Amino acid sequence: MDTDTISLALSYDDEMDTGRTYYTIFTHSNTKGDTSSLSPLNMSFTTDYYHFDKFETSGYSWLLGFKQEYDSLLFNKDMVFGMEYLHRSEGYHSLLAGEPLSYDNYSNIGDTYNVYTGIRFNKNVLLKLRYYQYKDNGKMTKPILSTVTTDSSNGKSSGNYHSYSLQLYIEF
């Protein structure tokens, strides 16, 4: 695959006065590729679920986020609260590694909601509780390294899910 990406990110950081940070990222991608060499039939073919052929797609991603920091709020420890909304259109391609390394799979199309709260034990250790919800909006990317999309009803599952996670961040 050959992917060209362009992004614009904006952030307003008022953390010193109010503890708030607002941010947004808009990304557009164009992807070209050929997955025919991966075909189990040793030839190009496309079904409702698979795409083993040349393709060219383009799409966008839009992230909107907010973070609030609180000084010495709980047990004399700093707290953080945040939320993010992410929309990915059909044809968008990200170079993120995806699960299990990241909830943001490179092929997720639709809407993602992410809410978290955390406690900072010191300047290098942060513990976060995160709620994550993904809605595919009826679309999915055909599997096997393709950015071609199809209706999620053609797939084996809808792809909608939510999760809770406890994350420990250690900076060094």
Side-chain angles (χ1 to χ4, degrees):
M1 270 193 261
D2 181 22
T3 301
D4 295 321
T5 345
I6 186 166
S7 294
L8 174 65
L10 300 170
S11 174
Y12 177 70
D13 187 344
D14 194 26
E15 198 170 318
M16 294 302 287
D17 294 328
T18 65
R20 293 186 195 114
T21 304
Y22 305 90
Y23 52 96
T24 186
I25 303 170
F26 179 81
T27 303
H28 186 270
S29 70
N30 289 311
T31 302
K32 294 179 186 177
D34 185 352
T35 56
S36 58
S37 65
L38 301 173
S39 169
L41 303 177
N42 292 324
M43 59 183 267
S44 300
F45 76 93
T46 296
T47 67
D48 287 343
Y49 188 66
Y50 291 107
H51 184 89
F52 292 99
D53 204 350
K54 292 180 181 179
F55 60 88
E56 186 173 342
T57 60
S58 66
Y60 69 92
S61 167
W62 179 58
L63 174 97
L64 184 61
F66 165 78
K67 181 176 81 168
Q68 175 71 52
E69 298 266 354
Y70 299 101
D71 294 335
S72 302
L73 185 66
L74 184 66
F75 306 118
N76 251 357
K77 302 293 180 191
D78 295 348
M79 298 283 298
V80 62
F81 170 78
M83 59 179 69
E84 292 180 342
Y85 166 75
L86 173 66
H87 175 77
R88 289 187 178 138
S89 74
E90 291 182 57
Y92 175 74
H93 179 236
S94 170
L95 301 176
L96 290 174
E99 296 179 35
L101 301 177
S102 167
Y103 289 116
D104 297 317
N105 190 309
Y106 80 94
S107 61
N108 283 358
I109 297 168
D111 298 311
T112 301
Y113 305 90
N114 183 1
V115 178
Y116 62 88
T117 188
I119 184 168
R120 186 172 294 282
F121 292 102
N122 59 48
K123 70 177 189 166
N124 297 327
V125 178
L126 174 66
L127 182 67
K128 278 187 186 178
L129 176 62
R130 182 180 304 270
Y131 173 72
Y132 183 92
Q133 182 180 28
Y134 168 66
K135 295 182 178 183
D136 68 10
N137 295 341
K139 294 291 182 182
M140 64 178 274
T141 300
K142 293 183 180 185
I144 318 294
L145 299 176
S146 168
T147 59
V148 177
T149 59
T150 187
D151 292 336
S152 62
S153 59
N154 294 331
K156 295 177 182 166
S157 68
S158 70
N160 297 325
Y161 60 89
H162 64 98
S163 67
Y164 294 93
S165 63
L166 191 60
Q167 300 170 315
L168 179 64
Y169 295 83
I170 302 173
E171 298 176 22
F172 51 93

